[in-house]
Amino acid sequence: MIGLLLIIANISGGILLGLATLDKWDGESNFFNKIASFLAPFQTIIGCALIVLAILTFWGNILFSVASILGGLLLLTHVFGKVPALETSLRKLSAKLMPFKAIIGIGLIAIGLWGLF
């Protein structure tokens, strides 16, 4: 059950993070923009789910769990200002990860699809 929730969170988070690249691949239909506009209000929930579920299943596959945690950190960037004790370190980490946002997003989609099969 936890694995299925992590797969759904990976695919959803990957769509939100990799939207710029997916939009280029999509062309004129705006399919991924419509999905992302539906998922955008749940960005914080998806980010929390990615981190918590990846920690719960960490030893199952460490590489996939690390990618999920990184994706969750990128999705929670806007929330870091509300955690005063960790704000500076979390903002530095997310600033270092930001250039790889699309790559991590596409990776999360691949991990999610791989987990389905």
Side-chain angles (χ1 to χ4, degrees):
M1 183 69 176
I2 292 175
L4 182 61
L5 291 174
L6 183 59
I7 289 169
I8 294 169
N10 278 330
I11 294 172
S12 302
I15 289 171
L16 287 171
L17 290 174
L19 183 61
T21 304
L22 293 172
D23 192 34
K24 289 178 189 174
W25 292 347
D26 189 18
E28 298 295 322
S29 68
N30 290 328
F31 176 73
F32 291 110
N33 284 329
K34 292 175 186 174
I35 294 174
S37 66
F38 176 76
L39 291 174
F42 305 106
Q43 180 175 351
T44 304
I45 297 169
I46 294 169
C48 289
L50 279 172
I51 292 174
V52 170
L53 295 173
I55 289 172
L56 289 176
T57 62
F58 188 76
W59 296 112
N61 195 334
I62 294 174
L63 181 64
F64 292 171
S65 296
V66 169
S68 297
I69 291 171
L70 292 177
L73 287 173
L74 282 171
L75 285 173
L76 291 176
T77 303
H78 65 284
V79 180
F80 292 155
K82 299 176 183 174
V83 184
L86 302 173
E87 179 181 6
T88 57
S89 61
L90 291 175
R91 286 199 187 267
K92 286 180 186 176
L93 179 62
S94 70
K96 289 179 182 178
L97 291 174
M98 201 55 73
F100 306 105
K101 183 178 176 179
I103 296 169
I104 293 172
I106 300 300
L108 286 177
I109 293 172
I111 290 169
L113 291 177
W114 189 347
L116 286 175
F117 302 104

